[in-house]
Amino acid sequence: MDNNRKNVLIACDSSHTLLEFRGKLIEELVKGNNVAVFTPTISRQQVRDKLESLNVKVYENNLNGSNVSVFADLKYIIQLYKLIKETKPDVFFPYTFKPVIYGTMIAKICKIACITPMLTGLGYNFSHDGTKNRLVSAITKILLKISLKGKKGIRIIFQNKDDYHKLLETGIISQQQEAFVVNGSGVDLSHYEYTEPDTSNISFLMISRLINAKGVNEYYEAAKAIRHKYPEAKFKLIGSFDNNIDSITLELFSKILFDDTIEYIGRVDDVRPYIKNASIVVLPSYYGEGVPRCILEGMAMGRAIITCDSVGCRETIHNSSIGRNGFLVPVRNVSALALKMEYYINNTTDIILYGLNGRSFAKEKFDVNLVNADMLRIMNVG
């Protein structure tokens, strides 16, 4: 028996993120450790099969990370408490809000030696959009402060510096606590290979859940304005319309479905063919990103970018020695977004140049192997 192997328990709020966002990390972890995951029910057989092939133990629950339910959350807390007491992990790695808040509290009670909560973005919880959101935000902040309080054994992971400073400013964490910033979830450059974009038939692609914070309405309105002037331009949207506190209105969803402004594709298992067929990747997100994975995937495949000057998104735009790879536009500014779309239509050589620069930037900063090396060190399993 290898006494150096540690028991690692991962907790998340969505089973699809296990492989899409953490797959390469899990592959590294299982090389020298015993890994288990506590996840909402896995609906995709290929996810279950892959975890089984990696000898990852799977424990399932019915958590809904996007909605508020006292009864469901209490049931989740009890399940997780029993699981931690049963499995006795050496390292507990929760990510996203509910697993971080509830899981870190329970792990502290159970005296887990190394707790590494990762905040993959602060989302609408730190916005001021609407009374309902403000109430949820206030509750979340209180619970997060209670959860992360204490220094011994807790190593907090952020995906951008803005989120770290925001929690410092709001008093949720202190400078005495151990905190680390990694470059998002990283991107597998061997999986997302470079392809030259089509500059003869300009097409824009947005990959996002259909929630307000991602800027879906702004993308739709900008696409409408551009197609009025350049009817040959194409706009596509990939992403699911879920039951979420911040979901777009049914009216907007109906427009997306039934008029010809945007081609709505829905949720897909593999975005690579769609990125390959796109000229530019767009994400006009307002706030709350860790580092948007869809932009990293677009950069890796050599696509020019348009995104917002907002938390997490601004990390992905580079304009120094490597060269510009895209544009930042002000949040909720349809005219500015449309202007940059028009720039690419009229400057097609920059689509290729910015895409090449983006690939180089992804290789330098966001390579998943570099990010995972940092993660293993933070988790004390490297």
Side-chain angles (χ1 to χ4, degrees):
M1 182 175 179
D2 187 353
N3 292 326
N4 292 321
R5 294 181 70 88
K6 293 185 178 180
N7 295 322
V8 180
L9 177 62
I10 300 170
C12 63
D13 71 357
S14 174
S15 61
H16 85 266
T17 66
L18 284 169
L19 296 184
E20 290 185 20
F21 297 97
R22 311 283 164 248
K24 284 293 181 180
L25 177 62
I26 291 174
E27 287 179 15
E28 290 300 315
L29 284 169
V30 297
K31 290 177 181 178
N33 305 280
N34 307 311
V35 179
V37 297
F38 187 52
T39 174
T41 303
I42 298 173
S43 58
R44 294 162 59 196
Q45 188 61 41
Q46 60 265 43
V47 174
R48 192 180 299 277
D49 292 344
K50 178 64 174 178
L51 292 172
E52 183 178 336
S53 72
L54 292 171
N55 293 317
V56 174
K57 289 186 178 180
V58 175
Y59 302 90
E60 294 173 274
N61 59 68
N62 295 312
L63 179 70
N64 187 328
S66 301
N67 290 315
V68 178
S69 170
V70 175
F71 176 77
D73 287 6
L74 183 59
K75 183 178 179 181
Y76 174 82
I77 290 169
I78 293 170
Q79 285 179 305
L80 183 54
Y81 174 77
K82 289 180 178 178
L83 180 61
I84 288 179
K85 294 295 284 186
E86 174 190 338
T87 59
K88 297 179 175 60
D90 302 294
V91 180
F92 178 58
F93 172 51
Y95 62 93
T96 63
F97 271 107
K98 285 188 180 182
V100 164
I101 289 171
Y102 301 142
T104 304
M105 287 181 184
I106 295 166
K108 287 195 294 185
I109 292 170
C110 295
K111 300 187 184 336
I112 301 304
C114 184
I115 308 168
T116 57
M118 183 165 73
L119 292 164
T120 56
L122 300 184
Y124 63 79
N125 295 285
F126 284 75
S127 75
H128 303 284
D129 290 351
T131 304
K132 187 175 182 180
N133 281 10
R134 284 200 296 270
L135 177 60
V136 172
S137 173
I139 295 170
T140 301
K141 289 175 183 177
I142 292 169
L143 292 176
L144 195 59
K145 184 173 183 177
I146 294 170
S147 172
L148 298 178
K149 185 177 180 181
K151 291 176 283 186
K152 188 175 180 181
I154 301 178
R155 318 186 92 201
I156 309 165
I157 305 169
F158 296 90
Q159 293 194 333
N160 61 69
K161 293 179 182 178
D162 288 315
D163 285 351
Y164 169 65
H165 291 299
K166 173 64 73 174
L167 293 198
L168 280 178
E169 291 166 9
T170 53
I172 291 173
I173 63 171
S174 69
Q175 290 184 336
Q176 285 70 46
Q177 290 177 269
E178 280 195 281
F180 305 83
V181 178
V182 298
N183 292 319
S185 301
V187 63
D188 184 353
L189 294 161
S190 64
H191 187 69
Y192 294 91
E193 296 180 324
Y194 176 82
T195 60
E196 185 170 309
D198 184 355
T199 57
S200 300
N201 304 289
I202 304 297
S203 64
F204 298 85
L205 174 65
M206 179 175 176
I207 306 169
S208 162
R209 288 179 299 148
L210 272 58
I211 60 177
N212 294 309
K214 301 292 185 179
V216 177
N217 182 63
E218 286 70 19
Y219 181 65
Y220 173 83
E221 292 295 338
K224 192 174 180 180
I226 289 295
R227 293 208 67 205
H228 180 74
K229 190 173 181 179
Y230 304 93
E232 71 282 1
K234 303 298 182 185
F235 293 83
K236 298 180 182 181
L237 175 61
I238 289 174
S240 57
F241 181 62
D242 302 323
N243 180 20
N244 186 289
I245 193 173
D246 196 39
S247 292
I248 63 171
T249 64
L250 288 173
E251 180 184 5
L252 175 57
F253 187 46
S254 180
K255 289 179 182 178
I256 290 170
L257 286 177
F258 299 117
D259 72 24
D260 65 350
T261 302
I262 291 175
E263 179 186 345
Y264 177 60
I265 298 166
R267 173 172 164 70
V268 300
D269 290 333
D270 187 354
V271 298
R272 289 175 298 172
Y274 300 94
I275 296 175
K276 182 178 180 179
N277 291 328
S279 310
I280 299 102
V281 170
V282 182
L283 184 70
S285 182
Y286 299 171
Y287 49 76
E289 304 282 350
V291 174
R293 179 64 176 269
C294 62
I295 298 183
L296 299 186
E297 291 165 346
M299 288 165 55
M301 292 187 69
R303 294 302 174 267
I305 304 298
I306 306 174
T307 190
C308 280
D309 189 8
S310 58
V311 173
C313 292
R314 65 173 64 102
E315 307 285 331
T316 64
I317 299 301
H318 195 284
N319 188 26
S320 61
S321 58
I322 289 177
R324 179 181 286 279
N325 68 305
F327 296 110
L328 291 176
V329 297
V331 298
R332 296 177 177 158
N333 192 322
V334 172
S335 60
L337 179 58
L339 194 64
K340 295 307 181 187
M341 290 174 172
E342 186 173 11
Y343 175 88
Y344 283 126
I345 291 172
N346 293 320
N347 297 272
T348 55
T349 55
D350 280 351
I351 295 175
I352 295 175
L353 176 61
Y354 290 10
L356 289 168
N357 293 339
R359 172 77 181 184
S360 297
F361 186 33
K363 189 180 297 185
E364 178 189 273
K365 185 174 181 180
F366 297 108
D367 184 335
V368 71
N369 296 304
L370 300 176
V371 174
N372 285 343
D374 287 340
M375 291 290 295
L376 295 177
R377 283 193 291 270
I378 295 166
M379 298 167 73
N380 285 325
V381 292

mmCIF file of all heavy atoms in Angstrom, residues 59-75:
data_model
loop_
_atom_site.group_PDB
_atom_site.id
_atom_site.type_symbol
_atom_site.label_atom_id
_atom_site.label_comp_id
_atom_site.label_asym_id
_atom_site.label_seq_id
_atom_site.Cartn_x
_atom_site.Cartn_y
_atom_site.Cartn_z
ATOM 1 N N TYR A 59 -20.213 9.777 -5.823
ATOM 2 C CA TYR A 59 -21.331 9.884 -4.887
ATOM 3 C C TYR A 59 -22.238 10.996 -5.420
ATOM 4 O O TYR A 59 -21.784 12.112 -5.654
ATOM 5 C CB TYR A 59 -20.845 10.227 -3.481
ATOM 6 C CG TYR A 59 -19.860 9.230 -2.910
ATOM 7 C CD1 TYR A 59 -18.490 9.388 -3.096
ATOM 8 C CD2 TYR A 59 -20.304 8.130 -2.184
ATOM 9 C CE1 TYR A 59 -17.573 8.473 -2.576
ATOM 10 C CE2 TYR A 59 -19.392 7.206 -1.655
ATOM 11 C CZ TYR A 59 -18.035 7.391 -1.856
ATOM 12 O OH TYR A 59 -17.142 6.479 -1.336
ATOM 13 N N GLU A 60 -23.524 10.678 -5.601
ATOM 14 C CA GLU A 60 -24.428 11.631 -6.248
ATOM 15 C C GLU A 60 -25.429 12.244 -5.278
ATOM 16 O O GLU A 60 -25.725 11.693 -4.225
ATOM 17 C CB GLU A 60 -25.160 10.933 -7.400
ATOM 18 C CG GLU A 60 -24.207 10.531 -8.529
ATOM 19 C CD GLU A 60 -24.872 9.691 -9.602
ATOM 20 O OE1 GLU A 60 -24.927 8.457 -9.433
ATOM 21 O OE2 GLU A 60 -25.335 10.261 -10.605
ATOM 22 N N ASN A 61 -25.941 13.422 -5.662
ATOM 23 C CA ASN A 61 -26.930 14.137 -4.864
ATOM 24 C C ASN A 61 -27.887 14.860 -5.804
ATOM 25 O O ASN A 61 -27.771 14.766 -7.023
ATOM 26 C CB ASN A 61 -26.231 15.113 -3.906
ATOM 27 C CG ASN A 61 -25.379 16.127 -4.650
ATOM 28 O OD1 ASN A 61 -25.884 16.993 -5.359
ATOM 29 N ND2 ASN A 61 -24.053 16.009 -4.512
ATOM 30 N N ASN A 62 -28.821 15.604 -5.236
ATOM 31 C CA ASN A 62 -29.822 16.323 -6.041
ATOM 32 C C ASN A 62 -29.685 17.834 -5.909
ATOM 33 O O ASN A 62 -30.660 18.576 -6.088
ATOM 34 C CB ASN A 62 -31.232 15.895 -5.624
ATOM 35 C CG ASN A 62 -31.499 14.432 -5.928
ATOM 36 O OD1 ASN A 62 -31.230 13.970 -7.039
ATOM 37 N ND2 ASN A 62 -32.012 13.695 -4.955
ATOM 38 N N LEU A 63 -28.483 18.309 -5.639
ATOM 39 C CA LEU A 63 -28.273 19.748 -5.465
ATOM 40 C C LEU A 63 -28.583 20.504 -6.753
ATOM 41 O O LEU A 63 -28.200 20.099 -7.841
ATOM 42 C CB LEU A 63 -26.822 20.023 -5.058
ATOM 43 C CG LEU A 63 -26.444 21.502 -4.857
ATOM 44 C CD1 LEU A 63 -27.122 22.054 -3.619
ATOM 45 C CD2 LEU A 63 -24.926 21.659 -4.742
ATOM 46 N N ASN A 64 -29.259 21.657 -6.592
ATOM 47 C CA ASN A 64 -29.434 22.608 -7.688
ATOM 48 C C ASN A 64 -28.679 23.865 -7.307
ATOM 49 O O ASN A 64 -29.109 24.620 -6.441
ATOM 50 C CB ASN A 64 -30.918 22.916 -7.924
ATOM 51 C CG ASN A 64 -31.134 23.767 -9.165
ATOM 52 O OD1 ASN A 64 -30.299 24.603 -9.521
ATOM 53 N ND2 ASN A 64 -32.268 23.580 -9.830
ATOM 54 N N GLY A 65 -27.538 24.078 -7.939
ATOM 55 C CA GLY A 65 -26.674 25.197 -7.555
ATOM 56 C C GLY A 65 -27.209 26.549 -7.911
ATOM 57 O O GLY A 65 -26.743 27.564 -7.398
ATOM 58 N N SER A 66 -28.233 26.612 -8.795
ATOM 59 C CA SER A 66 -28.705 27.898 -9.296
ATOM 60 C C SER A 66 -29.928 28.424 -8.570
ATOM 61 O O SER A 66 -30.316 29.571 -8.762
ATOM 62 C CB SER A 66 -29.028 27.782 -10.795
ATOM 63 O OG SER A 66 -27.897 27.394 -11.518
ATOM 64 N N ASN A 67 -30.573 27.597 -7.761
ATOM 65 C CA ASN A 67 -31.814 28.017 -7.119
ATOM 66 C C ASN A 67 -31.737 27.908 -5.592
ATOM 67 O O ASN A 67 -30.926 27.170 -5.048
ATOM 68 C CB ASN A 67 -32.980 27.182 -7.636
ATOM 69 C CG ASN A 67 -33.319 27.513 -9.077
ATOM 70 O OD1 ASN A 67 -33.398 28.666 -9.453
ATOM 71 N ND2 ASN A 67 -33.486 26.481 -9.894
ATOM 72 N N VAL A 68 -32.606 28.661 -4.954
ATOM 73 C CA VAL A 68 -32.640 28.701 -3.495
ATOM 74 C C VAL A 68 -33.720 27.764 -2.989
ATOM 75 O O VAL A 68 -34.890 27.905 -3.333
ATOM 76 C CB VAL A 68 -32.912 30.141 -2.992
ATOM 77 C CG1 VAL A 68 -32.990 30.160 -1.468
ATOM 78 C CG2 VAL A 68 -31.849 31.097 -3.501
ATOM 79 N N SER A 69 -33.334 26.791 -2.180
ATOM 80 C CA SER A 69 -34.283 25.868 -1.572
ATOM 81 C C SER A 69 -33.722 25.421 -0.236
ATOM 82 O O SER A 69 -32.752 24.665 -0.179
ATOM 83 C CB SER A 69 -34.519 24.647 -2.476
ATOM 84 O OG SER A 69 -35.259 23.662 -1.786
ATOM 85 N N VAL A 70 -34.307 25.904 0.831
ATOM 86 C CA VAL A 70 -33.807 25.597 2.171
ATOM 87 C C VAL A 70 -33.837 24.097 2.434
ATOM 88 O O VAL A 70 -32.873 23.514 2.938
ATOM 89 C CB VAL A 70 -34.633 26.345 3.242
ATOM 90 C CG1 VAL A 70 -34.192 25.915 4.643
ATOM 91 C CG2 VAL A 70 -34.481 27.852 3.077
ATOM 92 N N PHE A 71 -34.938 23.453 2.056
ATOM 93 C CA PHE A 71 -35.074 22.015 2.310
ATOM 94 C C PHE A 71 -34.028 21.224 1.531
ATOM 95 O O PHE A 71 -33.345 20.347 2.081
ATOM 96 C CB PHE A 71 -36.483 21.540 1.934
ATOM 97 C CG PHE A 71 -36.667 20.064 2.077
ATOM 98 C CD1 PHE A 71 -36.846 19.483 3.330
ATOM 99 C CD2 PHE A 71 -36.657 19.236 0.960
ATOM 100 C CE1 PHE A 71 -37.007 18.112 3.472
ATOM 101 C CE2 PHE A 71 -36.815 17.861 1.084
ATOM 102 C CZ PHE A 71 -36.997 17.297 2.348
ATOM 103 N N ALA A 72 -33.887 21.531 0.235
ATOM 104 C CA ALA A 72 -32.935 20.804 -0.612
ATOM 105 C C ALA A 72 -31.498 21.044 -0.148
ATOM 106 O O ALA A 72 -30.677 20.115 -0.138
ATOM 107 C CB ALA A 72 -33.101 21.219 -2.070
ATOM 108 N N ASP A 73 -31.198 22.271 0.248
ATOM 109 C CA ASP A 73 -29.847 22.586 0.706
ATOM 110 C C ASP A 73 -29.538 21.879 2.028
ATOM 111 O O ASP A 73 -28.419 21.406 2.235
ATOM 112 C CB ASP A 73 -29.677 24.095 0.870
ATOM 113 C CG ASP A 73 -29.580 24.815 -0.477
ATOM 114 O OD1 ASP A 73 -29.759 24.154 -1.511
ATOM 115 O OD2 ASP A 73 -29.332 26.033 -0.483
ATOM 116 N N LEU A 74 -30.528 21.815 2.909
ATOM 117 C CA LEU A 74 -30.328 21.121 4.189
ATOM 118 C C LEU A 74 -30.070 19.635 3.950
ATOM 119 O O LEU A 74 -29.189 19.035 4.593
ATOM 120 C CB LEU A 74 -31.551 21.310 5.087
ATOM 121 C CG LEU A 74 -31.465 20.697 6.493
ATOM 122 C CD1 LEU A 74 -30.296 21.284 7.269
ATOM 123 C CD2 LEU A 74 -32.778 20.922 7.245
ATOM 124 N N LYS A 75 -30.804 19.052 3.015
ATOM 125 C CA LYS A 75 -30.593 17.643 2.676
ATOM 126 C C LYS A 75 -29.176 17.430 2.138
ATOM 127 O O LYS A 75 -28.505 16.457 2.486
ATOM 128 C CB LYS A 75 -31.628 17.212 1.629
ATOM 129 C CG LYS A 75 -31.544 15.746 1.263
ATOM 130 C CD LYS A 75 -32.626 15.374 0.247
ATOM 131 C CE LYS A 75 -32.524 13.902 -0.135
ATOM 132 N NZ LYS A 75 -33.556 13.537 -1.157
#
